[in-house]
Amino acid sequence: MPTLKFAVLAGDYIGPEVMQEALRVLAHVARQENLQLDYQSADVGGAGIDNHGKALPDSTLRVCEQADAILFGSVGGPKWEKLPPKEQPERAALLPLRKHFTLFANIRPGLLYRELTDASPLKTDRIPDGIDIVCIRELTGGVYFGQPKTTTTLPDGDVQAIDTMVYRRSEVERILKVAIETARGRKGKLCSVDKANVLETSVLWRKTVTEYVARHAPELTLSHMYVDNAAMQLARDPNQFDVFVTENMFGDILSDEMAVICGSLGMLSSASLGAGKNSLGLPFGLYEPAGGTAPDIAGKGIANPCAQILSAALMLRFSFGLDGVAKRMEAAVKKAVTGGIRTGDIAFGRPSVGTKAMADAVIAAL
Ligand code: NAD
C-alpha cells in the first residue's frame, strides 16, 4: 500500500479549522484509493511563537525534513502584530521554509467555476465560462533577495535605499521547466511576462525563455507580454492566458490580482515546489491556500475549507505522483461547490453552510 508521508503545519486562526477538514477529506480518499496516510503535525507561525518561542521551531523543521511534502495552513494575525517585522509569523516562518527547501516555483491556479461567475468583480459577460488559468511565479530570486539591499545616509544628509534585482539564466530555465510541464498538461499556451523594455534582468529572462522553449518545447504556443500590459489584460480578458510565467515581484502582484478576479480567496490553492526531490524521486513541495488566517471569521466554523482541500490535491499530484486522485478531488470540490450546497465563503456574499458541511459535501461527491 503506497504511503503518503507529509508534515501538517496548520498554523493560526482558521488554519487549524480548514486543515482538520482537509485531513478528513484526505482520509476518505485514502480509504477509497488504498493509500496509507502517514502525517505528523507541528506548530508554525503564531502557534510556534506561543509554544516554542519561534515562528519556525527547530522541531517543526525536523518534521518537515523527514517528510515528502508539507501541507501548510496559514499563519499570523492580530495576536502577533506588535512583534518586530522580522519576528512576524509570516516572515519568520514562511520565508525561512521557502529558503530552507529552495521552494523556487510557485504554482497558483486561478479558478472560478462558471456557476459562480457572479462572485468575480469582473463583468460576467467577460468571463461567461468562469476563469481557468495558472500563474507560475519564480519564488526565490529577483529583487526580494538580490544583494546589495541597504539603506544609507548620504554625505549630503539625504537617505538612500537600494534593492537589487538579480537573475541567472539557470534560475530562469529552472522555473521555465515547471511552466512548460504545466502548459503541456493544459492547452499548450505559455505567456512569459517581463519588463524587457526597461530591465536588464527581463532582457535575459526573455532571451532565455525564447531560446529554451524553441529548443525544448517547440510544440507550445509561446508569447511574451510586458508586466504592465499583463496587469491590464488580466482584468480585461483573463482567459486569453492559459499558463503565464513570471519573475518573483511581478508574480507576487499579478497572482494577487488573479485571486481577486477569481472572486474568492477561500477557493484558491497553491503549490511551491522545491529544487530537491523527495524520497519518491518527485519534487518536495509546500502546499497552502492562497488566503491568510482570516481572523475576522476564525472560530465561527464558517471558513471555506476548499482552498485547503485543493492544496492537498496539488500535493497528491506533484509530490506523490497521484494525478488521477488529485483530479478526482478537484472534481468533487467542483461538484460540491456548484451543486445544491453553496460554499460557506463570505466572499461569495452568500450565507455560510459551514466549514464541516462543506467538507461533508466534498466527501459525498468523491
Ligand atoms: P486573509 O486572506 O486572511 O483574509 C482576507 C478576507 O478573505 C477576509 O475577509 C477573510 O475572512 C476572507 N477569507 C480568507 N480565507 C477565507 C476562507 N478560507 N474562507 C472564507 N473567507 C476567507 O487576509 P488578511 O486579513 O489580510 O490577513 C490576515 C492574517 O493572515 C494576517 O496576519 C496576514 O499576515 C496573514 N496571512 C498569512 C498568509 C500565509 O500564511 N501564507 C497569507 C496571507 C495573509
Side-chain angles (χ1 to χ4, degrees):
M1 189 191 281
T3 301
L4 314 187
K5 192 167 174 84
F6 57 99
V8 173
L9 311 191
D12 310 312
Y13 290 95
I14 67 160
E17 298 174 31
V18 291
M19 184 64 83
Q20 185 183 338
E21 298 308 319
L23 291 173
R24 206 156 60 83
V25 171
L26 271 179
H28 185 83
V29 170
R31 273 194 300 277
Q32 291 178 320
E33 303 279 344
N34 214 15
L35 302 165
Q36 173 110 32
L37 298 187
D38 174 12
Y39 62 83
Q40 204 175 336
S41 301
D43 288 332
V44 73
I49 294 171
D50 288 355
N51 299 333
H52 311 264
K54 225 170 148 186
L56 182 60
D58 297 344
S59 53
T60 299
L61 200 54
R62 275 198 298 279
V63 168
C64 296
E65 279 168 348
Q66 282 155 17
D68 286 323
I70 303 170
L71 190 58
F72 195 91
S74 41
V75 293
K79 189 171 176 204
W80 306 279
E81 256 164 22
K82 293 207 173 72
L83 289 173
K86 274 190 180 156
E87 292 170 32
Q88 293 279 330
E90 242 189 298
R91 189 157 159 193
L94 260 177
L95 294 191
L97 265 177
R98 282 180 191 156
K99 203 165 168 207
H100 187 80
F101 291 105
T102 321
L103 301 173
F104 70 95
N106 185 232
I107 304 175
R108 272 221 220 176
L111 192 62
L112 174 65
Y113 306 129
R114 180 166 11 123
E115 294 83 348
L116 299 174
T117 47
D118 57 341
S120 172
L122 298 187
K123 287 184 181 146
T124 47
D125 61 358
R126 293 188 177 238
I127 44 169
D129 296 320
I131 298 172
D132 183 4
I133 59 180
V134 179
C135 169
I136 311 265
R137 167 188 169 195
E138 203 290 327
L139 207 55
T140 50
V143 74
Y144 294 170
F145 296 97
Q147 294 295 335
K149 195 182 229 345
T150 55
T151 304
T152 43
T153 303
L154 299 172
D156 65 2
D158 206 353
V159 179
Q160 175 178 277
I162 298 176
D163 291 296
T164 309
M165 192 183 255
V166 186
Y167 269 107
R168 292 176 176 216
R169 183 160 46 203
S170 54
E171 287 175 290
V172 181
E173 289 181 351
R174 186 168 71 170
I175 187 74
L176 198 54
K177 282 182 202 164
V178 176
I180 287 171
E181 281 314 309
T182 309
R184 278 184 176 145
R186 292 174 50 94
K187 295 180 199 148
K189 268 175 70 182
L190 179 62
C191 179
S192 170
V193 175
D194 62 37
K195 190 73 183 164
N197 49 346
V198 180
L199 298 175
E200 284 296 311
T201 45
S202 281
V203 172
L204 175 67
W205 182 282
R206 190 173 282 219
K207 185 170 185 295
T208 305
V209 170
T210 306
E211 290 172 1
Y212 193 91
V213 171
R215 186 160 343 128
H216 298 281
E219 79 281 11
L220 295 185
T221 306
L222 174 69
S223 61
H224 300 273
M225 199 179 275
Y226 295 137
V227 62
D228 39 352
N229 187 25
M232 286 192 287
Q233 296 302 329
L234 258 182
R236 203 183 63 80
D237 176 17
N239 288 314
Q240 71 182 275
F241 299 100
D242 178 22
V243 177
F244 67 92
V245 60
T246 190
E247 65 88 50
N248 201 346
M249 181 170 63
F250 299 160
D252 190 3
I253 298 165
L254 292 180
S255 61
D256 270 18
E257 182 184 349
M258 188 181 75
V260 167
I261 62 172
C262 286
S264 168
L265 276 174
M267 294 301 300
L268 297 178
S269 55
S270 85
S272 299
L273 303 187
K277 300 277 186 241
N278 64 21
S279 74
L280 306 166
L282 293 163
F284 182 91
L286 181 147
Y287 302 87
E288 59 174 332
T293 57
D296 52 337
I297 57 166
K300 296 184 179 162
I302 58 170
N304 187 346
C306 290
Q308 191 74 65
I309 296 168
L310 291 170
S311 301
L314 291 178
M315 176 176 81
L316 297 196
R317 170 170 297 130
F318 293 116
S319 286
F320 295 106
L322 297 168
D323 187 56
V325 186
K327 282 201 175 103
R328 237 169 42 73
M329 285 175 72
E330 288 162 352
V333 169
K334 181 173 182 184
K335 194 168 169 205
V337 170
T338 59
I341 186 160
R342 283 304 196 179
T343 169
D345 192 331
I346 50 173
F348 280 134
R350 298 194 175 98
S352 170
V353 298
T355 311
K356 186 173 175 305
M358 191 71 231
D360 283 341
V362 174
I363 288 172
L366 270 163

